[in-house]
Amino acid sequence: MLLIWSVLIPIVCLWTAGIIFIWSFDNNISLNNYSLFDSVCENVYFKQCTQSRRSWLKCINNINRPNRQQRRNHTTLTSNWPPSTIPGLFDDEFPVINLALRIPFTKNAENPFDSPYYRKYLHFTTRIEDNMMRSPGLWSSGYNLFPQTLDFDKVIYNAANGFPSTTLPINNPDILALRLPKSICNPCVRERAPDLIVVIKSCSYCSDERDHARNTFMQRHLWSNITVQFVFVVGIPYPNESNMFTFGNNKFKLKDSWWRLSRKHDKDRWTFIKRLAMEADFHEDILIGSFHDTYFNLSTKLVFTFRWLSALCPNTVPLFLFIDNDYDLVPWNVIKFYKNHTIDCLRDLTGGIRHKNSMVIRPSYDGNISSIWAVMLKEFPWSRYPPYFYGATYILGSNIVKRLAIASAFTQHIRIDDAYLGILFNKLNIIPRNLDIISLASGGPDIESGAINVPHYISKRIIDWKTGKLRFSHR
């Protein structure tokens, strides 16, 4: 018996010491070895979150605590937008960038939900809901009442210059940049600013699409005489994901590739998040936000992207190009378009496929599953959206992105990201410009005429990505 205990006691002690070491490593060592600034620059918090399944679940719980919003609202650290220093973006609790606007407000700043305009807006939505069988919504194209009703030129001027706002924002939750890409818009090491930044709307599970982009239009040798940087923007997967969502009393069901990939990793989602972390470390071209990466958070992803671009990218970058991850760019046509415009012109440019007469889809009120594009009357009571760009590909100048980043905090959230961008355009009196070089299904003749984007399923047939040229002429 003594012999058995003499063997068991050292084993138990070693096991206990190992558990204590792992726990302390998860919770102390990673952060204590760095200053706050270095922790942000080195993505230490994200590394800590992805050390183990336990630490990942803990981080998910921490960033979603209800009292985080209250904590930030009482902070005394305020700034203009974009902040003049990087520490002005540091989160109060975690060593990460927080892209919520932290701008000053007057002592008696108006709560947006107490505004007489908001009460009028609620009156409209209630009246329309009572007559839902007779009308799909307001037919007027005057969207001024969509919250918030403000002088947006003044709002943006005050935010940009650090002057106190007289009203609180209606849409300014915490949006944490859990992992920053070191190869683009690095706040810690200022390198030569690129001429163009390409933002690829990706998803956490879309590693195959990211590899496709890296092996095709992102190849450096295809971008001569211009400096281009590429970034993939993703959220994070959550434990116990489902394809069923409820908004109000309405049910929505996702059937897209996100759900197929989510189900694929359902029993081993921790292993996947670890692979995502390794991919981000290897390529340094992925920006990871703290939001759940689903179709219904695309508007959050859009706002997150605008805030990151305007706050952390060099102000000398004149133009940003946004593209879905199922499209490719045509490098030589992008370069040609860029070179045909002055820098000042690029800064104020908008361009895409303009959708100017889009009807609003309403949920099913009979208890059945609703279309994923459906929005409730209390979300948007008009029957048509203001003009917006299809999300496949569009371009925005740096001055436009800065204004959008600020305006988004003062514009009520809706789930349809393309439509939300149109609402922001409307608030800012920006008329989205239609560009015929951007399309939903460009082919060889379109590319020869200057098209800058092409779907994957077409590009693989007609473009030789070793040279970036068409496989054969269509003239």
Side-chain angles (χ1 to χ4, degrees), residues 333-353:
N333 282 341
V334 175
I335 296 170
K336 181 180 178 181
F337 174 83
Y338 186 98
K339 296 292 186 180
N340 283 340
H341 293 78
T342 66
I343 296 300
D344 288 341
C345 177
L346 292 174
R347 289 187 182 280
D348 292 307
L349 194 63
T350 68
I353 311 168

Side-chain angles (χ1 to χ4, degrees), residues 391-455:
T393 307
Y394 57 90
I395 55 179
L396 298 173
S398 56
N399 290 342
I400 302 296
V401 168
K402 176 182 174 181
R403 295 175 67 196
L404 291 168
I406 297 171
S408 62
F410 295 88
T411 304
Q412 183 167 284
H413 177 92
I414 68 168
R415 288 172 279 112
I416 313 302
D417 59 325
D418 296 350
Y420 187 64
L421 179 57
I423 294 169
L424 292 175
F425 283 152
N426 183 268
K427 290 289 187 183
L428 296 172
N429 294 315
I430 295 172
I431 299 175
R433 172 189 174 192
N434 192 72
L435 281 181
D436 57 10
I437 60 170
I438 298 176
S439 75
L440 296 177
S442 301
D446 303 296
I447 291 174
E448 289 182 334
S449 298
I452 67 171
N453 69 323
V454 56

Side-chain angles (χ1 to χ4, degrees), residues 130-394:
D130 292 340
N131 297 279
M132 184 61 202
M133 299 303 294
R134 287 181 287 172
S135 171
L138 292 170
W139 288 102
S140 167
S141 59
Y143 303 100
N144 185 51
L145 271 183
F146 187 79
Q148 293 171 264
T149 302
L150 300 168
D151 179 347
F152 272 81
D153 287 339
K154 183 178 180 180
V155 167
I156 290 169
Y157 179 83
N158 287 343
N161 292 280
F163 298 147
S165 171
T166 58
T167 182
L168 298 174
I170 199 170
N171 182 32
N172 193 34
D174 289 334
I175 316 180
L176 307 182
L178 294 180
R179 195 193 188 287
L180 300 171
K182 292 184 180 179
S183 64
I184 175 172
C185 299
N186 189 333
C188 309
V189 180
R190 284 302 183 196
E191 300 176 348
R192 178 189 172 190
D195 300 304
L196 171 69
I197 291 177
V198 175
V199 179
I200 305 166
K201 185 171 65 179
S202 186
C203 77
S204 54
Y205 295 118
C206 299
S207 57
D208 289 344
E209 287 83 354
R210 289 191 290 273
D211 283 339
H212 168 85
R214 295 182 185 114
N215 294 325
T216 54
F217 67 88
M218 284 176 59
Q219 297 177 91
R220 297 297 177 187
H221 72 273
L222 301 178
W223 299 88
S224 58
N225 302 318
I226 187 174
T227 305
V228 184
Q229 292 181 344
F230 301 87
V231 62
F232 299 96
V233 181
V234 305
I236 53 175
Y238 272 32
N240 305 316
E241 287 179 339
S242 168
N243 68 331
M244 292 299 300
F245 294 79
T246 301
F247 300 103
N249 296 320
N250 306 109
K251 295 179 289 186
F252 301 82
K253 185 175 183 179
L254 290 177
K255 300 179 182 179
D256 60 3
S257 58
W258 170 84
W259 177 237
R260 292 196 302 272
L261 292 168
S262 176
R263 290 183 64 190
K264 178 181 177 182
H265 299 285
D266 184 45
K267 295 182 179 179
D268 200 19
R269 196 161 283 125
W270 152 246
T271 301
F272 172 78
I273 192 69
K274 188 64 177 178
R275 283 207 305 269
L276 177 63
M278 293 172 64
E279 180 189 357
D281 286 343
F282 184 79
H283 292 285
E284 290 294 353
D285 59 4
I286 303 177
L287 172 66
I288 302 178
S290 59
F291 49 89
H292 185 198
D293 204 347
T294 78
Y295 179 85
F296 293 125
N297 268 338
L298 288 180
S299 291
T300 300
K301 182 180 290 186
L302 183 75
V303 172
F304 172 72
T305 303
F306 289 159
R307 302 269 180 86
W308 176 75
L309 290 172
S310 62
L312 293 180
C313 293
N315 57 18
T316 52
V317 180
L319 188 67
F320 304 108
L321 193 158
F322 302 81
I323 187 168
D324 274 351
N325 70 348
D326 51 357
Y327 278 78
D328 294 331
L329 291 177
V330 183
W332 71 90
N333 282 341
V334 175
I335 296 170
K336 181 180 178 181
F337 174 83
Y338 186 98
K339 296 292 186 180
N340 283 340
H341 293 78
T342 66
I343 296 300
D344 288 341
C345 177
L346 292 174
R347 289 187 182 280
D348 292 307
L349 194 63
T350 68
I353 311 168
R354 186 176 63 208
H355 198 326
K356 60 181 180 180
N357 192 26
S358 177
M359 293 292 295
V360 178
I361 298 174
R362 297 301 179 194
S364 172
Y365 287 91
D366 56 6
N368 292 324
I369 303 298
S370 298
S371 165
I372 61 172
W373 296 292
V375 297
M376 296 171 286
L377 281 162
K378 65 181 179 181
E379 294 179 279
F380 192 79
W382 288 269
S383 58
R384 289 189 177 94
Y385 291 117
Y388 61 81
F389 289 141
Y390 285 100
T393 307
Y394 57 90

